[in-house]
Amino acid sequence: MGVLTAERIKLTSTRSPMWCTALTVVFALGMAALFSLLVNVSVNEYHRQLANGHPMLAEDPSPGNSIAGLGITGASQGMPGFGYIMIMILAALAITSEYRFGTIRATFLAAPNRTVVLLAKAGLIAVAAAVLSVVLTLLSFLIFKVMLSQDAGRNMSLSHGDAHVFYSVPIFVALVVFLAVGVGTLIRQSAGALSLLIVWPVLIEPIVGAFGKVGRNIEVFLPFQNAGRFLGTAGGGDLPWHWGPWGALVYFAVVVAIIFGGALFVVNKRDA
């Protein structure tokens, strides 16, 4: 209990978590407001073309509830999820900053069980980030409902719409927190950890998928692509998936567990 209290004080008394949280809120809600305007234009244009008998789009672009997670998880059209990236930055800095300023030594002296310290740190941030993602997803949903026209927003409903986004986003966010803390613990330096966590989902994995058939066969085994499969944001409907959305979540969770488990092993073996 004392370890959790100590981690809570660290989390709420430093600037970087506050800035990362504020930017996450701005990105999530700002993207909802911006895309509601774009969706209105797309739907109006679709109906105009449909009335003329020459629609350019095969399907009505009116979105469902899944668009509420756009600002956190991104979209399948290559747009990264700014919200979850900011959360990963927050989680990684929570551990790398301790190594940078040398406070990790005092932490381990006060709580010699390093596994408990790391689990408390990651667990606390994961719960806080998951709750934040739920609130932002609901607020984004309300922004879309308010700003979308009646035609554009007719598929969005809390009572009759798909509720997948409201539980998939916090599950994903909690997992990326453990991933970020694990990477931060293994690398120790903020610049290296943040570079890897940003480049990995935004640049490395999308590039792999660009290498034709071979790239697509590899892409289905990449962690963030599997997370996208679970969230419904993974691009390329022709990808040769070997499992469904829940199988993809398990795959991503296993990768996170391996990295975090490696961090626990290393942190108990080497000097602080």
Side-chain angles (χ1 to χ4, degrees), residues 72-153:
I72 300 175
T73 64
S76 59
Q77 289 78 18
M79 189 193 80
F82 293 107
Y84 84 81
I85 289 174
M86 292 308 305
I87 290 171
M88 287 200 299
I89 291 173
L90 184 160
L93 287 176
I95 185 66
T96 58
S97 295
E98 289 216 54
Y99 280 106
R100 177 186 176 188
F101 295 108
T103 58
I104 194 70
R105 295 185 181 91
T107 298
F108 289 155
L109 283 173
N113 191 329
R114 299 182 179 188
T115 298
V116 171
V117 171
L118 215 59
L119 285 171
K121 186 184 292 290
L124 184 64
I125 299 173
V127 171
V131 171
L132 176 65
S133 69
V134 170
V135 173
L136 291 179
T137 303
L138 287 172
L139 290 176
S140 296
F141 173 86
L142 294 176
I143 289 174
F144 277 109
K145 286 296 290 182
V146 169
M147 297 188 66
L148 290 179
S149 64
Q150 185 174 359
D151 280 339

Side-chain angles (χ1 to χ4, degrees), residues 16-35:
S16 58
M18 300 301 177
W19 278 107
C20 290
T21 300
L23 289 173
T24 302
V25 173
V26 170
F27 279 132
L29 302 185
M31 293 295 286
L34 174 62
F35 269 80

Side-chain angles (χ1 to χ4, degrees), residues 157 175 217 261:
S157 170
L175 287 173
N217 287 332

